[in-house]
Each structure stands twice: as C-alpha cells, then as structure tokens.
Amino acid sequence: MSVETINSESLRQAMVDQLATDHADKGWTLRPEVEAAMRTVPRELFTPGLPVQEAYENRAVITKRRGEENISSVSAPFLIAEMLGQAADALGGLKGRHVLEIGSGGYNASLLRELVGVAGSVTTVDIDPDVTGRAIACLTTAGYDDVKVVCADAEHPVEPGRRYDLIIVTAGAWDIPPAWREQLTDIGVLVVPLRTFGMTRSWALRRAGVGLVSVSERQCGFVPVQGDGAYDVQYVDVADGVHLRLDEGQQIPSQRLDGLLATPRQEAWAGVSLPPPTVLADLDLWLATRIAAAGQEFVVLTAQDVAISSGVVAPSWRFGTPAVLHDDGTFVYRSELRWTGDAFDLGAYAHGPDASAAAAAAGRMVEQMRTWVNAGCPAPALHVVPAQTPDGDLPAGTAVDKRHSRVVLAFTLKEGSPDGAR
Ligand SMILES: C[S@@+](CC[C@H](N)C(=O)[O-])C[C@H]1O[C@@H](n2cnc3c(N)ncnc32)[C@H](O)[C@@H]1O
C-alpha cells in the first residue's frame, strides 16, 4: 500500500467523522448507509490534478467556469451527505432503487451506485459534453463503469419511457419542469435545489395528485441550471461590496437604490433567546412569505467581507439575507445575531430618509420574527402544482408563479392552522 493510499484513506475517514459530528450538531443523523458509502468512495479520483488533502476538504471543487461564473463542480461533501440523507429518508432507504442524477461529476453517482446496490441502477445526465467526458473517465478509473452517463438537457425526458424512484438534481433550479415529475415512479422522490424568493433550498418532494409536496428541506447553494430551464439572476450594487440579488423577472428602478445605506442605522430586537441549532434558513423563508403577503418588495442582500468588516452592513448571512425595500425609501434587513451566553436574539437594521419610519420598519420585521419564534420556529412545506392551476385550487400559503409551475410555501403554526396567506 503506497503512502498516498494510506493518506487518502485516513483523510477520507477524518472527513466522514467530521460530517457525522456536523450532522449531530444540527440535530440530524448521518444515515449509516450514506456514511458507509462516503467512507468507501475515493473522492480524489473525481478531482484529478488536485492535491489529495484538498480533495477531502469539505467544500465544492470548481471544475468549469464561464467568464466569472462557476458552471460545474464536484459538490461539497456536506451537501452531498445531506441530500443523499433526504433521499434515503424519503424513500425509506435506497437499496434496489433506480436513480437519475441530474448534473454529473461522478462522485455523487458513485455514492449512489454504492447505495442502490446490484439490484438498483444509476443514470447520470449532464448538459455539457466536457463534464460527461470527464465523468466517464473518473467513473471508469474508480471502477463504477456500470453508471450510465448521458449528455442531454435534463429539462426534457432523459431516457424516454423510463421512470425512476429517485431523481436527484445537483444544479440550482428556478422551476420544476413537467418531465421531472413525469419521470418519477408512483412512490418516487425528487430531491432538487430550488430557488424561491431568491433563496435556494434542497427540497425532497413526493408526488401528490397532479403536483408534488415536500417532506424535508435543507439550505444549500449550487451552480445554476443551464439550457432550456436557465433563469436570470441579477446583482445590483447598493454600496461598495454590497449587492441586492434580484429574482427572475424582478426589476427595481435604479433611483430607488441610490444612497440606500447612507443614512444612520436604526435597529430593533425581537427580545427572544434561541439556542444555536435553530434553523434560521426557515425563518428567512418565513420572512419572505410575510413580506410578499404584505405586498412589499422582498430582496436578498449579499455582502463581501470587506463591507462587513468596515461596518457598512451587518447582515445575518453575507451570502443571502432577507431584506425589504419600502416605497418611502426605507431599507430594512435581518441583522447579525446578538449573543448572550449560549443563546441569541434576532434583530433588524433599517436605513431611510425618515429615521422614525426606518425604526418602525425594523420593528415590524422583528415582530414577524417573534411570531415565527412564538409559533415554535416552524419549518416550511412546499407544494408544487402545474402553472395552469387556478387560485381557488391552491393549497393555503404564499404562491410564487414560475414558468411551468406554481409553488406554494406554507408554514403550519403551533396551534395547527396552516397560514392562510395567498
Ligand atoms: C454541481 S455540478 C454536479 C456535481 C456532481 N453531481 C457531483 O457528483 O459532484 C452541476 C452540473 O449540472 C449540469 N447542468 C446544468 N444544467 C443542466 C441541465 N439542464 N441538464 C443537465 N445537466 C445540467 C452542469 O453542467 C454541471 O456540470
């Protein structure tokens, strides 16, 4: 056994040990079969050219760029573990299942091959021939040449006539094309990183009538879907190193963005005391639905480290913080946390031409946060129905219209009543 092999083996075991610890810290369990697969598949065989230590860092390895944009990667181990866990939980295990992976690289497909066993099958599809070529070479080297690799736009049926128990999408989608639901078996599960309100979550969805309904969700980020399902995300500058991320079709006149952060900051605090495992990604979707239901302009704030260290902004998460642009020029966003010992409080920071209006807007945002905390910090459910579904047939919740579908986000409050926002 060479030094390199021993090194790779020990790095892999250490990476999976850390994944198990991280799952436990979040209150989840790393499923034993997912853990076993990740302890088996040598990730460095899917990152050729990279030093073996870097192959076992818990992050994505970018494999292709177009200009400034990352368009292909070997996904981060923590995200792969979480999504495989979502899939296995939803299907009660993956042994013997037939799987379609959308977005290739080879690593995740090999893990799936381990998980489905000899009775199952794995097809992986990528729109980019460079990626499929690379995936075939890596899969062959790693001994997983029974994974079927297809080069096609997965917006459309991949192997016409075939249905899968699991479709796992490993690129960030904005919509769910009809082919994804139609290719599922009756008990089939779709795991997909889907963007709603400019924020991406990996949703595990089951068939429900003519649509789909979620069984779990995780916060995530992915390179975007390309091809016929591609969508438009714009970043607009609001200060040095501070941007607003606008969703497909969202337009904001530039004069509304002038001097947005120039006035003194007003702040408000919810006055709550929460323990660290609280999933604040759920709060962010809750705020988005409340803001949309109130007819206000919801935007997502992103910031570079330098803008935070220089005090220009202090958002809850620099990669995507919920924010509102009010008609009177007030701008309010969810702030950094305020810690007391082992617990934290939730806050909102606001700027605007009228200081008292800004303070009131921050107060309204923390009121929404208090409502979420008092309701037991509920997680959202997602319903996906065809685009032609009339309003009257939508489930209760906040609806977002896409090209092929209408998606409805709903929170069940503590007393058991789903929120009735439309
Ligand atoms: C994050 S990478 C996939 C990672 C991979 N599953 C792994 O094992 O690490 C996402 C891939 O999705 C592909 N992709 C994007 N849009 C697609 C589409 N419409 N159909 C098929 N593949 C697509 C990209 O070319 C890219 O290679």
Side-chain angles (χ1 to χ4, degrees), residues 63 71-76 80 101-109 124-128 131 152-155 170-171 180 222-229:
T63 49
I71 59 166
S72 191
S73 66
V74 178
S75 300
I80 286 183
E101 180 200 38
I102 296 177
S104 309
Y107 179 55
N108 192 41
T124 183
V125 58
D126 204 287
I127 196 167
D128 185 333
V131 177
D153 183 346
E155 173 89 352
T170 63
W180 293 358
F222 269 96
V223 300
V225 157
Q226 305 168 43
D228 290 346

Side-chain angles (χ1 to χ4, degrees), residues 181 210-212 384-390 394 403-407:
R181 183 182 166 281
V210 292
L212 298 159
V384 182
V385 293
Q388 62 276 16
T389 308
L394 289 179
R403 273 173 232 148
H404 302 293
S405 49
R406 306 190 77 182
V407 301

